[in-house]
Amino acid sequence: MKKVLVVCGNGLGSSMIVEMNVKAALKEMGKEAEVSHTDLTSAKSEQADLYLGSEDIVGGLEDGNKNVVKLKNLMDKNELREALENNL
C-alpha cells in the first residue's frame, strides 16, 4: 500500500486538514493509501511514497530521492486531487 505523508511546519494544523482532504479525495478516486501528517523535521526521517505540503515548506524535503509535491494552495481540492492522480 502506498504511503502519503502530509507535511506542515508544526504538523498540527494545516497538515491535519490536508490529510482529511487527501483521504476524501482518495475515497472519491477509489484508491487506497496510508495517509498521515507530520511536521517538517520529522518528515525528513520518515519514509513515504508521496510527500505533500505547501511549496514554502516541503521544498526542504527534496533530496533527489523523495517524491515531493509542492501545493500552491493547501485548500484547493482540485490541485490536491491532481497531485494524487499524477503521483500515486
Side-chain angles (χ1 to χ4, degrees):
M1 180 180 287
K2 299 278 186 174
K3 181 175 180 180
V4 178
L5 190 59
V6 183
V7 182
C8 73
N10 294 321
L12 299 172
S14 58
S15 61
M16 187 171 73
I17 293 169
V18 174
E19 178 188 353
M20 291 188 301
N21 290 339
V22 168
K23 288 178 177 176
L26 289 172
K27 186 175 181 180
E28 289 175 9
M29 296 163 54
K31 293 187 174 185
E32 290 187 19
E34 179 184 333
V35 185
S36 61
H37 67 277
T38 191
D39 63 278
L40 180 60
T41 302
S42 299
K44 291 179 180 178
S45 62
E46 287 196 40
Q47 295 295 315
D49 297 294
L50 176 61
Y51 298 82
L52 290 172
S54 66
E55 57 188 355
D56 59 328
I57 297 289
V58 293
L61 293 173
E62 292 180 320
D63 62 0
N65 296 317
K66 291 183 171 84
N67 185 13
V68 178
V69 173
K70 301 174 189 173
L71 300 172
K72 292 180 182 173
N73 181 349
L74 291 177
M75 300 305 140
D76 184 342
K77 292 181 180 179
N78 291 327
E79 182 183 9
L80 180 61
R81 185 180 176 113
E82 184 178 319
L84 294 170
E85 288 174 345
N86 293 334
N87 292 284
L88 287 181

